[in-house]
Amino acid sequence: MTLACTSLNAGATGRPWLVFLHGLLGSVQDWQPLLPALEGWPCLFVDLPGHGHSANVTAAGFADVSQLLTDTLHQQGISSYWLIGYSLGGRISLYHACQGDRSGLQGVLVEGAHPGLNCQAERAQRRHHDQQWATRFLQLPWKQALASWYRQPVFSSLTDEQRQQLILLRENNNPHVVAAMLTATSLSVQPDLRGELHQLSVPFVWLCGSHDTKFIHLAQHSGFELRTIANAGHNAHRENPAEFVRQALAFIISPVLKDVAHDLS
């Protein structure tokens, strides 16, 4: 089984593919604001399990999603690629990069993504948190549940208009499959990937909106390469798409490798 996806500039040669993974409740349409700036780059936009045109695809956890991604890339004939993932898509990108079978992976960019919890108490707290949200998705009127979701502190930089736009975009999701995906890929069951990420042989970077203080501090505390997107919050690629693409492509064209920087210091 493979995931539904949409390609752009498939005929472009000489550059690796850019493979985009959206966040929870999203779809390939989330990346629409970036398209004007991606001319000349072959891109693959993937619908994650339970989302968009992959709504009928289920996954039991991170290993399942990573295998589905591998199978999808093979089906598309993609042998050289960068992963660009937002939130849940970023966490899946990190997990995929840390697996043994990552042939063809050139690098990883994640936006507002968590590398994993390293404390059992935090895992238990997050498990309870995500179970509560899964229950809300199933029990509340769907639009009310979405309104509550986008009132979380991580989305505090959104204006009322931006919040309403996101709710309208998400209304077509099936709350049952979204709740199942939330549970299967909860941060509480994600491995703590910090150690493996520091050993990666490919470059990777955290992209964070300048107002997304939680994830800026997380990246800094974890010792990861960080680039901030001005005038943006947690969903930086939507709030400032031009700057997001500029910074992403600048890193892809000339990545900062930590071992090289260390040798030059």
Side-chain angles (χ1 to χ4, degrees), residues 1-5 22 25-28 46-59 68 172-181:
M1 184 177 291
T2 58
L3 297 167
C5 54
H22 60 78
L25 293 164
S27 73
V28 298
V46 180
D47 275 331
L48 294 175
H51 295 74
H53 292 293
S54 297
N56 62 337
V57 180
T58 59
L68 284 166
N172 289 332
N173 279 297
N174 182 324
H176 293 275
V177 295
V178 171
M181 186 62 174

Side-chain angles (χ1 to χ4, degrees), residues 1 9 49 51 83 105 136 141 144 156 193 234 237:
M1 184 177 291
N9 306 324
H51 295 74
L83 284 176
L105 179 63
R136 290 189 188 107
Q144 181 181 339
S156 62
L193 301 171
H234 186 60
H237 71 268

Side-chain angles (χ1 to χ4, degrees), residues 20-107:
F20 292 84
L21 305 180
H22 60 78
L24 190 76
L25 293 164
S27 73
V28 298
Q29 297 301 317
D30 284 22
W31 304 105
Q32 193 77 21
L34 278 57
L35 302 190
L38 293 172
E39 185 177 354
W41 288 88
C43 301
L44 190 75
F45 304 95
V46 180
D47 275 331
L48 294 175
H51 295 74
H53 292 293
S54 297
N56 62 337
V57 180
T58 59
F62 284 91
D64 274 0
V65 182
S66 183
Q67 186 60 55
L68 284 166
L69 177 59
T70 295
D71 294 343
T72 302
L73 294 172
H74 287 168
Q75 182 199 54
Q76 296 294 319
I78 294 175
S79 57
S80 177
Y81 65 99
W82 282 72
L83 284 176
I84 303 175
Y86 163 64
S87 196
L88 170 60
R91 295 193 288 117
I92 290 168
S93 297
L94 296 176
Y95 181 90
H96 185 80
C98 292
Q99 301 311 295
D101 181 19
R102 54 176 183 268
S103 57
L105 179 63
Q106 303 300 305

Side-chain angles (χ1 to χ4, degrees), residues 159-170 238:
T159 65
D160 287 339
E161 182 181 0
Q162 290 172 326
R163 190 173 288 109
Q164 288 304 314
Q165 288 174 345
L166 284 170
I167 292 170
L168 287 174
L169 281 174
R170 307 315 190 204
R238 181 175 175 83

Side-chain angles (χ1 to χ4, degrees), residues 24 123-140 142 144-146 148-149 152 175 178-180 182-183 186 188:
L24 190 76
R123 285 186 180 276
Q125 184 179 31
R126 183 57 183 239
R127 185 178 301 110
H128 178 68
H129 171 274
D130 287 351
Q131 286 173 344
Q132 283 187 316
W133 273 111
T135 300
R136 290 189 188 107
F137 286 166
L138 295 175
Q139 294 183 352
L140 290 177
W142 185 224
Q144 181 181 339
L146 291 173
S148 296
W149 178 264
Q152 293 183 93
V178 171
L182 171 61
T183 302
S186 168
S188 67

